[in-house]
Amino acid sequence: DFLRIDHVGIAVADLDGAVKFYAETFGMHCVHEETNEDQGVREAMLAVGDGSGPRLQLLAPLRPDSAIAKFLDRAGPGLQQLAYTVADVEATTAALRARGLRVLYDTPRRGTAGSRINFVHPKDAGGVLVELVEPA
Ligand code: V0V
């Protein structure tokens, strides 16, 4: 089951520049930064307000063949994904597959801060790349 919105992911070309823009323009600060070689991203998590709600994830590509680099080439910077917190990523994957949706990985991969993640193909979810996040 989907428990809540975990984060909203935004593709950016320049991570440091984007973090600075969000801080200076919207007063949001970075609470976590990490490089994920498997996903080919450098990412920053920003808290909104008191940080109790969903976060904003800024995603910059590490390499030209990464999902974020392809997204930037095709669509330019902007909203790339909507991520939901789930209790059990394998169970949610099985339930969505049973409903005929394509979930990308056979085995969950490593996401932010040791979470386990998977993705629903955007063509099977109304044009939205849906990420499933089981927190560490
Ligand atoms: C592609 N499409 C999208 C989209 N990416 N639509 C909405 N939102 C997106 N983000 C559309 C695209 O416009 C094409 O539509 C069609 O999908 C192409 O599908 P495809 O040929 O199967 O695939 P690609 O090569 O465009 O790749 C799309 C997928 C790829 C979703 C398969 O981006 C992927 O594997 N994403 C999962 C991994 C990821 O996004 N990692 C970065 C975040 P038309 O033109 O045919 O109509 S890492 C992360 O979130 C972490 C670490 C974390 O949260 O912990």
Side-chain angles (χ1 to χ4, degrees):
D1 289 3
F2 288 9
L3 301 176
R4 66 189 84 87
I5 293 177
D6 190 277
H7 63 265
V8 176
I10 295 175
V12 303
D14 166 13
L15 191 69
D16 297 331
V19 168
K20 190 165 181 282
F21 172 83
Y22 273 84
E24 288 175 354
T25 313
F26 301 133
M28 296 179 197
H29 64 283
C30 178
V31 291
H32 181 77
E33 206 178 298
E34 140 175 12
T35 295
N36 186 323
E37 287 289 345
D38 180 42
Q39 289 293 330
V41 297
R42 230 186 109 212
E43 59 146 304
M45 282 291 189
L46 308 192
V48 182
D50 67 4
S52 62
R55 287 180 173 169
L56 219 67
Q57 181 185 44
L58 303 176
L59 296 155
L62 285 181
R63 346 173 248 276
D65 65 339
S66 62
I68 296 301
K70 284 188 202 156
F71 182 90
L72 287 170
D73 285 347
R74 187 179 52 238
L79 290 175
Q80 189 256 350
Q81 56 162 272
L82 180 56
Y84 296 93
T85 312
V86 300
D88 181 337
V89 69
E90 269 117 348
T92 305
T93 295
L96 295 176
R97 284 190 172 149
R99 287 167 206 152
L101 276 67
R102 280 170 291 170
V103 182
L104 298 183
Y105 310 139
D106 285 334
T107 314
R109 296 207 182 151
R110 204 191 63 77
T112 311
S115 58
R116 300 165 72 237
I117 61 172
N118 212 328
F119 294 87
V120 179
H121 196 284
K123 291 295 176 190
D124 293 349
V128 178
L129 174 61
V130 169
E131 181 181 353
L132 312 172
V133 182
E134 181 188 316

